[in-house]
Amino acid sequence: MVLVHSTTLGAFFSLPLDSLLSTQGIMVMLLAAYAGAMWMFLTSAPKVHTIMVSDMEIARQFYEGLLDLPVADIPLHYYYNYEQSLGVTAGIDPLYMSASPGVSSGRNLNAPDGLWYQLKKNNQLHVISGANLGKKNQQRHVCFDRDCLEQVLMRVEVRGLKHKIRNQKPLNFLVKDLEERVIEMAEVSN
């Protein structure tokens, strides 16, 4: 009787289990698991706003000192694809791209990853070099995202910093730092 029971049970599971454990069934399960993992990874990734600045050290003093933004970790989706997003070939190691190879500090401001700050819970600010100096050699911070500049402006207003809104569309405002330097925050319209 036990023999009949086991063969009946085996016959019950043989069709679906065989198709699930086939090569094609395993591949479908792996692809579904991969798609689920990628969906979870991408939906949990923070939204990243990028600002190009004319001087990284002055930008660090501004965002960390005046705006008191907490330093954030580089999101994984940026860490693994950073060389491709810059157009750098995969054969170049970012370690060799620093401006001063002999100098090592706790935080290399010329590193290809730039500066990272936490704006809100799931919003990060990525500060990179590349903006030109403005009129009268004033510092410029340029951004393509209006939402980012609105968040920075709100932070400037909350902190009570001297500022002047020059234009609403595209958003453009001036801020004075503690050294009395004028920093122009400019939205680049597409």
Side-chain angles (χ1 to χ4, degrees):
M1 203 177 242
V2 173
L3 183 61
V4 172
H5 179 65
S6 66
T7 56
T8 312
L9 189 59
F12 177 74
F13 284 115
S14 67
L15 184 61
L17 195 57
D18 283 348
S19 63
L20 281 177
L21 295 178
S22 70
T23 303
Q24 185 178 12
I26 290 172
M27 290 302 293
V28 167
M29 287 190 304
L30 287 172
L31 284 173
Y34 179 73
M38 285 302 291
W39 176 257
M40 293 296 293
F41 173 70
L42 292 174
T43 57
S44 68
K47 181 176 182 180
V48 176
H49 302 287
T50 302
I51 289 184
M52 290 175 46
V53 299
S54 50
D55 187 303
M56 291 293 281
E57 178 57 32
I58 292 173
R60 185 191 62 75
Q61 292 170 10
F62 179 72
Y63 292 108
E64 287 180 30
L66 282 176
L67 296 185
D68 198 28
L69 290 174
V71 176
D73 291 329
I74 300 173
L76 287 176
H77 65 287
Y78 269 75
Y79 180 73
Y80 288 113
N81 287 323
Y82 198 77
E83 291 87 7
Q84 288 82 5
S85 68
L86 286 176
V88 177
T89 59
I92 299 175
D93 188 343
L95 178 65
Y96 299 112
M97 293 175 57
S98 67
S100 51
V103 178
S104 69
S105 63
R107 185 172 185 130
N108 186 357
L109 296 175
N110 295 317
D113 55 350
L115 304 171
W116 291 85
Y117 300 104
Q118 199 71 39
L119 275 175
K120 292 195 289 188
K121 182 179 180 191
N122 209 21
N123 281 340
Q124 289 185 346
L125 178 64
H126 183 201
V127 179
I128 60 173
S129 62
N132 295 329
L133 289 173
K135 297 175 185 170
K136 301 177 189 173
N137 288 332
Q138 70 187 18
Q139 300 299 311
R140 290 189 76 219
H141 295 204
V142 180
C143 185
F144 289 96
D145 190 348
R146 182 178 182 84
D147 182 48
C148 173
L149 283 183
E150 287 175 344
Q151 289 181 40
V152 171
L153 177 59
M154 184 177 68
R155 191 87 177 198
V156 164
E157 292 171 341
V158 167
R159 306 286 290 169
L161 300 175
K162 292 180 188 179
H163 69 285
K164 177 183 176 184
I165 298 175
R166 295 170 62 187
N167 199 6
Q168 284 291 338
K169 288 192 178 183
L171 185 57
N172 184 308
F173 60 96
L174 303 173
V175 181
K176 279 196 175 183
D177 67 5
L178 293 176
E179 310 270 330
E180 294 294 316
R181 290 181 290 235
V182 175
I183 298 174
E184 177 188 9
M185 307 293 289
E187 174 190 7
V188 177
S189 60
N190 295 348

